[in-house]
Amino acid sequence: MTGPRLTPLAASLPATVPFVGPETQERQRGRPFAARVGANESGFGPAPSVVQAIRNAAPDAWMYGDPESHDLRHALAAHHGIAPETIVVGEGIDGLLGYLVRLLVGPGDSVVTSDGAYPTFNYHVAGFGGTLHKVPYRDDHEDPEALVVRAAETGAKLIYLSNPDNPMGTWHDAETIARTIAAVPEGCVLLLDEAYVEFAPDGTAPPIDPSDARVIRMRTFSKAHGLAGMRIGYAIGHPELILAFNKVRNHFGMSRLSQQAALASLADQAHLAGTLQRVASARSRIAEIGAANGLRALPSATNFVTLDCGRDGEHARALLAALVARDVFVRMPFVAPEDRCIRISCAPDAELDIVAEALRKALAELR
Amino acid sequence: MTGPRLTPLAASLPATVPFVGPETQERQRGRPFAARVGANESGFGPAPSVVQAIRNAAPDAWMYGDPESHDLRHALAAHHGIAPETIVVGEGIDGLLGYLVRLLVGPGDSVVTSDGAYPTFNYHVAGFGGTLHKVPYRDDHEDPEALVVRAAETGAKLIYLSNPDNPMGTWHDAETIARTIAAVPEGCVLLLDEAYVEFAPDGTAPPIDPSDARVIRMRTFSKAHGLAGMRIGYAIGHPELILAFNKVRNHFGMSRLSQQAALASLADQAHLAGTLQRVASARSRIAEIGAANGLRALPSATNFVTLDCGRDGEHARALLAALVARDVFVRMPFVAPEDRCIRISCAPDAELDIVAEALRKALAELR
C-alpha cells in the first residue's frame, strides 16, 4: 500500500476491538446463543409504547434527525430539573466518551481510571495519545479516594469513575461521590459514568449540579430503557464544557428514530418502574442460581450480577468458556483479582433457566 | 469554569455547526416548513419493504447492533462484487469522514479540497488540526486536475473530491476520475465522495478496485435509499486502510435498526429504480420551474437541481431568505461565484408545487 500515510499516533494504535460482539461469537461457533446475558442489555425489552413510537416514525426515516436533539434535550432537562444547555446527546455513552476524551486529552496528557474498569474508555484515551494511570479496585469496589490522589500526583486532566460500577456491580453512596467531586484537583474533570444508576438504591446519585465544572455525568438509554440498539446516551455538565462538544461531535450522528424512541421511553415511566422491579427479581434469582452452585453473588446496584467463582482467573475463564460452549453468552472482568468472577446480565426467567442449567453442567464438567 | 482544560487544538476550534438543521429554523420561525427541499433528503421516502423491516426489528431494539455490521458488509460486498474486508460501515458519510481524517491528518498536515465543497469535510480537517488548501471550481465543476496539482505542491495527505458534486450537481465521467486517481501523488489518498452516484448517468463511476490504495470511496443510504434519518454510510478502500478504521471508530456506534434497514433497502432494487425515475422527473420539473422564472438550471447528476439566479451572491441570499419566509426550506452554495445559485432537492410534486408558487412570489417581491 503506497497511498495512505497514517498519523504517527494512528499508526501506533492496535486495530483491537474493545468488545467482541455476541454475533461475532455466534458466527465463529456456527450457532446462536440460547441465552444473551453478556452485555448487560435489557432482555425485558423496550416499552411497548416505545416500539410503537419507532413503528410510527419509520416512514420518516428519510429525514435527517434534528442535529441539536432539541426535543430530547428539553425533555431530559425537564426530567432532571436542569437547563437544556447542560445536556448533550450522543451516539451512546461510547460516542460521548470519545468526544470528551478528544476535547480534553492530547498526547502525553494524564488520565486516571481503575484497573479493570470500562475498556472502551481506555480505548479512547489511547486513541488520542493520553497516558493512562490505573488504580486498583479495593474490595471489589472502585476506590474514589485513590483515584483522586493519583490524579493529583499525575496532574491528570480526566478521571473515570463509574457508579454503580461495571463490571463488579458494586456502588458508593451519594455522600462518597460528592466528597470525591469536591476533592477533584484543580484543572481536572471527573467523568462520572452513571449508565446503571437507575438500578441503584436511592441515595446513590448525588444531586445534579451542572454549575460544578469539576464533574461531567453520563447516562444512557441502553440499560434501564432497553434501547441499546438505538445508540442514545447523554452527558450532563457545565454549560461551557457541554457547548464544547459542538466543536468535535458528529452533528448529524443521531438517528431520527433513536431520538423519537428516547422521547417515548422517557415519557413511559411506568414501564421503567416495571423494568426496575423485574431487574431486582432477576438479581435475586441469579444470586440464588449462584448459591445453588456454591458461587457467591456480589451485591449489585446494576442490571447484572457478578458471581465470585471462588478461585482464580484461570478457573473463571474456563467456566466462562464452558458456559459459552453451552450457548450462554456471558462476559467477565478482565483484570485480577476481579477476574475470579463472571458477570451475568438480568434477563427473563426463561433465559435464566438456561443459565442455571448451563452453570450446573459447566461446573460439573470442570470438577 | 475551573475544571476542564481543553487541549490547545480543541480550545482553538470554533463551536460552529456545519449545517443548521431545518428543525432549528422551524423553531426560530415559529412555524413548520411547507416544503423540505434543502438537505437533499429523499422525499420519495424509504421503500415500503424497508419501513416494514424497521417495524419488524423494533422489538429487538434492546440488543446492541453487531459492531462489525457483518451482514450488511457482506451484502454490500456481494452487491459490488468486492471482498467484505474492503468495506467499513459507519454513522453516515459524516461519521466516516471524521474517522478517515483522524487516521490521516494531524496538526499541520496538508489537505486539499475545492473552495465551496462539502463543509463537513472541512470541519473535520480543522478539528484534527489539518491545513486546508482550496482550489476554485472551474465552470461550476470541481477541478480534478487542479486538486491533484495542489496536492503535489503542498505534500497533501488527503484530497476531497465529490462526484457528482454537491452543491453544484455537476459531474465528471469515469475516465476523468480514473485519470485523477492515477495522478494522485505518492503518499496521498483521494477521498472520492460518491453520495449521489446512484443518480448519475452510467459511466460516471469508475470500476471499483479496492487494491488501489490511492483512493477511498464513500457511499450512503441517505440519498437514493431515502434513509438519511438512519445514519448509514460506508467506505470502500484498500483493506489495510479499511482495517485501520477499527483503531478509532465507535465500534458499537451503528444502530441495530439502521443495519436492518440498510439490508432491506439494498435488497429492494425495484424501489431504488423507481426512486431514480422519480428523481429524474423531479429534476426536469425543477428545471421547468426555474425556466418559468427566468432561472437557468445547471445540469444535475444528483437528487437536487442548482438554479443559477443570474446575479451575485447577495441576490441569491435575498431570494433564499424570501423562500424561507414563504415556508420553503432550501439551501445554497457558500462561496462565490457559485453562491449566485440556490439548490433545490428533488421532491414529490405537491412539494414542488409549493416551491414553484413560492419562487414566483419571492422573485416578484425582490423586483
Short mmCIF file of all heavy atoms in Angstrom, two decimals, chain B residues 2 46 54 91 112 124 137 176 181-182 185-186 254 267 273 284 293 300 312 336 344 346 354 356:
data_model
loop_
_atom_site.label_atom_id
_atom_site.label_comp_id
_atom_site.label_asym_id
_atom_site.label_seq_id
_atom_site.Cartn_x
_atom_site.Cartn_y
_atom_site.Cartn_z
N THR B 2 -13.45 26.18 36.40
CA THR B 2 -12.06 25.89 36.77
C THR B 2 -11.64 24.49 36.38
O THR B 2 -10.45 24.22 36.30
CB THR B 2 -11.85 26.04 38.30
OG1 THR B 2 -12.61 25.01 38.95
CG2 THR B 2 -12.32 27.38 38.79
N PRO B 46 -38.22 6.03 2.14
CA PRO B 46 -37.65 4.69 2.09
C PRO B 46 -38.67 3.74 1.43
O PRO B 46 -39.85 4.07 1.32
CB PRO B 46 -37.44 4.34 3.56
CG PRO B 46 -38.40 5.19 4.32
CD PRO B 46 -38.66 6.42 3.49
N ILE B 54 -38.00 -2.12 9.43
CA ILE B 54 -37.76 -1.34 10.65
C ILE B 54 -38.81 -1.71 11.70
O ILE B 54 -38.50 -1.93 12.88
CB ILE B 54 -37.80 0.18 10.36
CG1 ILE B 54 -36.60 0.58 9.48
CG2 ILE B 54 -37.82 0.98 11.64
CD1 ILE B 54 -36.67 2.01 8.94
N GLU B 91 -21.47 5.71 10.79
CA GLU B 91 -22.63 6.55 11.11
C GLU B 91 -22.76 7.66 10.06
O GLU B 91 -22.58 8.84 10.36
CB GLU B 91 -22.48 7.14 12.52
CG GLU B 91 -22.21 6.13 13.62
CD GLU B 91 -20.72 5.84 13.83
OE1 GLU B 91 -19.91 6.18 12.93
OE2 GLU B 91 -20.39 5.28 14.88
N VAL B 112 -6.32 18.90 0.64
CA VAL B 112 -6.78 19.71 -0.48
C VAL B 112 -8.25 19.43 -0.77
O VAL B 112 -8.69 18.27 -0.76
CB VAL B 112 -5.94 19.43 -1.75
CG1 VAL B 112 -6.50 20.17 -2.95
CG2 VAL B 112 -4.49 19.84 -1.51
N HIS B 124 -14.04 18.57 9.82
CA HIS B 124 -13.22 17.50 10.39
C HIS B 124 -11.73 17.80 10.22
O HIS B 124 -10.94 17.52 11.13
CB HIS B 124 -13.57 16.16 9.74
CG HIS B 124 -14.91 15.62 10.15
ND1 HIS B 124 -15.24 15.40 11.46
CD2 HIS B 124 -15.99 15.25 9.42
CE1 HIS B 124 -16.47 14.91 11.53
NE2 HIS B 124 -16.95 14.82 10.31
N TYR B 137 -13.57 26.14 -8.05
CA TYR B 137 -14.34 25.42 -9.06
C TYR B 137 -13.96 26.01 -10.43
O TYR B 137 -13.52 27.15 -10.54
CB TYR B 137 -15.84 25.61 -8.83
CG TYR B 137 -16.43 24.68 -7.79
CD1 TYR B 137 -16.02 24.74 -6.46
CD2 TYR B 137 -17.42 23.76 -8.13
CE1 TYR B 137 -16.57 23.89 -5.51
CE2 TYR B 137 -17.98 22.91 -7.19
CZ TYR B 137 -17.55 22.97 -5.88
OH TYR B 137 -18.11 22.13 -4.95
N THR B 176 -12.27 10.60 -16.51
CA THR B 176 -11.63 11.73 -15.82
C THR B 176 -11.28 11.34 -14.38
O THR B 176 -10.19 11.66 -13.88
CB THR B 176 -12.58 12.95 -15.83
OG1 THR B 176 -12.89 13.27 -17.20
CG2 THR B 176 -11.94 14.14 -15.16
N ILE B 181 -7.32 9.57 -10.25
CA ILE B 181 -6.78 8.59 -9.29
C ILE B 181 -5.34 8.23 -9.67
O ILE B 181 -4.46 8.17 -8.82
CB ILE B 181 -7.67 7.32 -9.27
CG1 ILE B 181 -9.06 7.65 -8.73
CG2 ILE B 181 -7.02 6.20 -8.45
CD1 ILE B 181 -10.09 6.54 -8.89
N ALA B 182 -5.13 8.05 -10.97
CA ALA B 182 -3.78 7.67 -11.42
C ALA B 182 -2.77 8.76 -11.14
O ALA B 182 -1.57 8.48 -11.01
CB ALA B 182 -3.81 7.33 -12.91
N PRO B 185 -0.66 12.00 -6.01
CA PRO B 185 0.77 11.92 -5.66
C PRO B 185 1.06 10.79 -4.66
O PRO B 185 0.18 10.39 -3.87
CB PRO B 185 1.06 13.29 -5.01
CG PRO B 185 -0.06 14.18 -5.43
CD PRO B 185 -1.24 13.30 -5.64
N GLU B 186 2.26 10.31 -4.69
CA GLU B 186 2.74 9.32 -3.72
C GLU B 186 2.45 9.78 -2.29
O GLU B 186 2.69 10.93 -1.95
CB GLU B 186 4.26 9.16 -3.93
CG GLU B 186 4.95 8.21 -2.99
CD GLU B 186 4.80 6.77 -3.44
OE1 GLU B 186 4.56 6.53 -4.64
OE2 GLU B 186 4.92 5.88 -2.58
N MET B 254 -23.18 1.85 15.40
CA MET B 254 -24.23 1.63 14.40
C MET B 254 -25.49 1.07 15.05
O MET B 254 -25.48 0.00 15.65
CB MET B 254 -23.74 0.64 13.33
CG MET B 254 -22.79 1.24 12.32
SD MET B 254 -23.49 2.64 11.40
CE MET B 254 -24.90 1.86 10.61
N ALA B 267 -31.76 -4.84 -0.68
CA ALA B 267 -32.45 -5.96 -1.33
C ALA B 267 -33.60 -5.49 -2.22
O ALA B 267 -34.07 -6.24 -3.08
CB ALA B 267 -32.98 -6.92 -0.26
N ALA B 273 -34.92 1.65 -8.18
CA ALA B 273 -35.09 2.04 -9.59
C ALA B 273 -36.24 3.03 -9.74
O ALA B 273 -36.15 4.01 -10.49
CB ALA B 273 -35.33 0.80 -10.45
N SER B 284 -36.38 17.41 -13.94
CA SER B 284 -36.95 18.12 -15.09
C SER B 284 -37.95 19.16 -14.62
O SER B 284 -37.98 20.31 -15.11
CB SER B 284 -37.65 17.13 -16.04
OG SER B 284 -36.74 16.17 -16.49
N ASN B 293 -39.31 31.01 -14.40
CA ASN B 293 -38.99 32.20 -13.61
C ASN B 293 -37.69 32.86 -14.05
O ASN B 293 -37.14 33.69 -13.32
CB ASN B 293 -38.91 31.83 -12.13
CG ASN B 293 -40.29 31.52 -11.53
OD1 ASN B 293 -41.03 32.44 -11.22
ND2 ASN B 293 -40.63 30.24 -11.43
N SER B 300 -27.69 18.31 -13.74
CA SER B 300 -27.51 17.66 -12.45
C SER B 300 -27.44 16.15 -12.59
O SER B 300 -28.24 15.55 -13.30
CB SER B 300 -28.68 18.01 -11.52
OG SER B 300 -28.66 17.18 -10.37
N ASP B 312 -25.56 38.06 -8.33
CA ASP B 312 -24.48 37.77 -7.39
C ASP B 312 -25.00 37.04 -6.14
O ASP B 312 -26.18 36.69 -6.05
CB ASP B 312 -23.76 39.06 -7.00
CG ASP B 312 -24.71 40.06 -6.34
OD1 ASP B 312 -25.90 39.71 -6.14
OD2 ASP B 312 -24.27 41.18 -6.03
N ALA B 336 -18.47 32.33 -3.56
CA ALA B 336 -18.55 32.93 -4.89
C ALA B 336 -17.61 32.21 -5.85
O ALA B 336 -16.55 31.76 -5.44
CB ALA B 336 -18.19 34.42 -4.82
N ILE B 344 -32.13 23.19 -4.98
CA ILE B 344 -33.45 22.65 -4.61
C ILE B 344 -33.44 21.13 -4.73
O ILE B 344 -33.13 20.57 -5.79
CB ILE B 344 -34.54 23.26 -5.51
CG1 ILE B 344 -34.58 24.78 -5.29
CG2 ILE B 344 -35.90 22.62 -5.24
CD1 ILE B 344 -35.54 25.50 -6.20
N CYS B 346 -34.86 17.35 -5.07
CA CYS B 346 -35.99 16.68 -5.71
C CYS B 346 -36.99 16.24 -4.65
O CYS B 346 -36.61 15.83 -3.55
CB CYS B 346 -35.49 15.48 -6.51
SG CYS B 346 -34.46 15.98 -7.92
N ILE B 354 -45.48 23.85 -4.26
CA ILE B 354 -45.26 24.90 -3.26
C ILE B 354 -44.02 25.70 -3.61
O ILE B 354 -43.99 26.93 -3.52
CB ILE B 354 -45.14 24.28 -1.85
CG1 ILE B 354 -46.50 23.65 -1.45
CG2 ILE B 354 -44.68 25.31 -0.82
CD1 ILE B 354 -46.43 22.77 -0.22
N ALA B 356 -42.73 26.11 -6.60
CA ALA B 356 -42.99 26.93 -7.79
C ALA B 356 -43.70 28.23 -7.42
O ALA B 356 -43.31 29.32 -7.85
CB ALA B 356 -43.83 26.12 -8.80
#
